[in-house]
Amino acid sequence: MKFLHTSDWHLGRAFHRVNLLGAQAAFVDHLVETVRAHEVDAVLVAGDVYDRAVPPLPAVELYDRALHRLAGLGVPTVMISGNHDSARRLGVGAGLIGRAGIHLRTDPAGCADPVVLADVHGDVALYGLPYLEPALVKDEFAARKVSHEAVLGAAMDRIRADLATRPPGTRSVVLAHAFVTGGQASDSERDISVGGVEAVPASVFDGVDYAALGHLHGCQTINERVRYSGSPLAYSFSEADHRKTMWLIELGAQGEIAAAERIDTPVPRALARLRGRIDDLLDDPAYAVHEDAWVEATLTDPVRPEDPMARLAARFPHTLTLAFDPEGRQEETGASYAQRLRGRTDQQIAEDFVAHVRGGGHPDEAERAVLQGAFDDVRADDSRRETHR
């Protein structure tokens, strides 16, 4: 059975000040054509369909067109909600839409209710596991603690229990939206950490034949059976070196991964991260290849140049961001504030702040627990507010 695995469409998102709706529509065209050309048996969309809980109307209209076109192909689609989506909004009309072959899985309580497809080798059970906010689903899954690993593990226990009741030889696929250990993050994903612990081990998916993951924007293989498709478009300059693709996965008769192929997605414009003195960027022929790219420029001139954005735009008309990092500054004053924060969780930043205002001495275990509880409460309250909007 052949699956097309994609995720993190983020419909409605802009790239800095550039509207990406046209590029997202081109991706949908490409998706539909790929399904047709490769005779795909099912499409898997592993969350973050929208970029925010209340998406703009043009994004909703594009989503609606995508569903109609996928339904028109007669190819089943299984779609879960991600941490950017409003699960309740995305799931409206799920029962009715399911009759058209578009299976929305947005309710955690229904994670063990699979979409069952069949081929000449038997059944394949597709389980949709939407993004799980630990504080909100802990009781539903009777998880031992409030953590991503605990709630995801408990949800997977339900899936494995359901799978055990099915005919011998039933193959299985799980869609999930999570940060799995070994995955490489980029700057454009929203932090889903709780208490500074955000990653879950790949072993949580043991017992299923394929885990189609969403959340991380780079296409990557955690192991043969656990993969991220990545986002179809770049959403930050940290993704400048990404090859944007979808996974075309063929599941064999015994549940083995018979084939795994990356299908490239359309690139609306190349990304370039340029660094140097402004005169070098403007005069060096080596930079000519980037003249039509979206550009992030970091100027290293010892003295800030006059009117730098206008001068850069004369050669690089699609320059979107401009930063200054004068030569020698780092040696004199240390890393920039942004550099010092990069890769640190909210919990770690808060603990450093406590140490700073004290003049030394990091929080003890009790104080760390208070900070962790505060972050967890705020995240849970945000989710509850969104649920009841």
Side-chain angles (χ1 to χ4, degrees):
M1 190 170 288
K2 196 179 295 184
F3 304 105
L4 187 64
H5 166 199
T6 178
S7 73
D8 295 274
W9 295 359
H10 289 278
L11 300 181
R13 185 164 186 159
F15 186 77
H16 295 274
R17 60 179 180 271
V18 178
N19 187 319
L20 291 180
L21 200 65
Q24 291 171 335
F27 161 69
V28 170
D29 291 342
H30 176 70
L31 172 72
V32 171
E33 181 53 35
T34 300
V35 171
R36 181 185 296 110
H38 289 271
E39 299 181 337
V40 170
D41 295 301
V43 177
L44 314 178
V45 186
D48 281 353
V49 178
Y50 290 121
D51 188 57
R52 53 184 183 268
V54 185
L57 182 58
V60 177
E61 291 172 338
L62 178 57
Y63 167 77
D64 181 63
R65 293 197 301 272
L67 294 195
H68 276 82
R69 295 177 69 184
L70 289 170
L73 293 174
V75 176
T77 296
V78 182
M79 180 180 292
I80 64 172
S81 50
N83 60 301
H84 279 248
D85 299 308
S86 166
R88 292 188 66 182
R89 286 188 175 89
L90 190 65
V92 168
L96 184 61
I97 295 172
R99 298 180 186 178
I102 307 293
H103 305 279
L104 304 177
R105 293 295 187 263
T106 63
D107 183 359
C111 67
D113 178 21
V115 177
V116 180
L117 305 180
D119 62 12
V120 295
H121 303 296
D123 289 348
V124 179
L126 285 74
Y127 296 91
L129 185 53
Y131 170 69
L132 303 177
E133 178 60 55
L136 296 183
V137 301
K138 176 178 181 293
D139 293 339
E140 166 65 34
F141 291 108
R144 63 189 183 279
K145 60 180 180 179
V146 180
S147 74
H148 286 283
E149 183 175 355
V151 297
L152 192 56
M156 283 301 303
D157 286 342
R158 283 193 187 181
I159 289 172
R160 282 185 283 263
D162 178 82
L163 188 58
T165 68
R166 298 191 174 273
T170 297
R171 291 160 290 167
S172 56
V173 173
V174 168
L175 288 76
H177 197 85
F179 191 167
V180 174
T181 302
Q184 298 297 314
S186 58
D187 291 346
S188 56
E189 298 116 5
R190 181 180 298 165
D191 182 21
I192 59 173
S193 63
V194 173
V197 180
E198 58 185 40
V200 300
S203 60
V204 76
F205 299 108
D206 286 353
V208 297
D209 295 314
Y210 184 67
L213 300 183
H215 177 58
L216 299 184
H217 288 182
C219 181
Q220 48 202 296
T221 301
I222 305 301
N223 61 51
E224 184 185 44
R225 298 181 181 275
V226 180
R227 300 171 189 255
Y228 284 98
S229 66
S231 60
L233 298 172
Y235 292 118
S236 74
F237 277 103
S238 66
E239 301 169 49
D241 294 330
H242 285 191
R243 175 188 166 197
K244 294 301 184 181
T245 60
M246 302 177 284
W247 279 114
L248 185 63
I249 301 292
E250 188 171 344
L251 201 61
Q254 305 301 318
E256 74 278 13
I257 305 300
E261 178 185 355
R262 292 178 68 179
I263 305 294
D264 291 286
T265 55
V267 178
R269 192 178 297 278
L271 306 186
R273 309 183 87 173
L274 307 184
R275 180 182 179 87
R277 295 193 177 197
I278 191 168
D279 289 340
D280 293 335
L281 297 184
L282 294 178
D283 298 336
D284 192 334
Y287 294 115
V289 67
H290 303 303
E291 289 177 357
D292 195 44
W294 282 321
V295 169
E296 174 193 72
T298 300
L299 300 183
T300 61
D301 301 73
V303 177
R304 183 171 300 207
E306 183 178 353
D307 203 12
M309 181 60 91
R311 293 170 63 189
L312 284 169
R315 184 178 192 186
F316 308 104
H318 305 288
T319 301
L320 299 182
T321 70
L322 177 61
F324 299 92
D325 187 15
E327 296 168 357
R329 184 181 66 174
Q330 184 168 338
E331 288 74 9
E332 297 172 1
T333 63
S336 69
Y337 181 71
Q339 290 170 328
R340 284 184 280 120
L341 294 187
R342 186 172 297 133
R344 300 182 66 77
T345 66
D346 291 341
Q347 175 90 10
Q348 292 169 324
I349 294 168
E351 290 177 17
D352 288 347
F353 175 75
V354 171
H356 173 74
V357 296
R358 280 179 174 166
H362 279 75
D364 58 27
E365 287 301 315
E367 292 168 329
R368 291 182 71 248
V370 170
L371 288 171
Q372 177 176 328
F375 281 120
D376 292 351
D377 288 346
V378 168
R379 287 171 51 82
D381 185 61
D382 286 345
S383 294
R384 290 190 189 96
R385 287 174 183 271
E386 173 53 40
T387 299
H388 292 92
R389 284 178 67 173

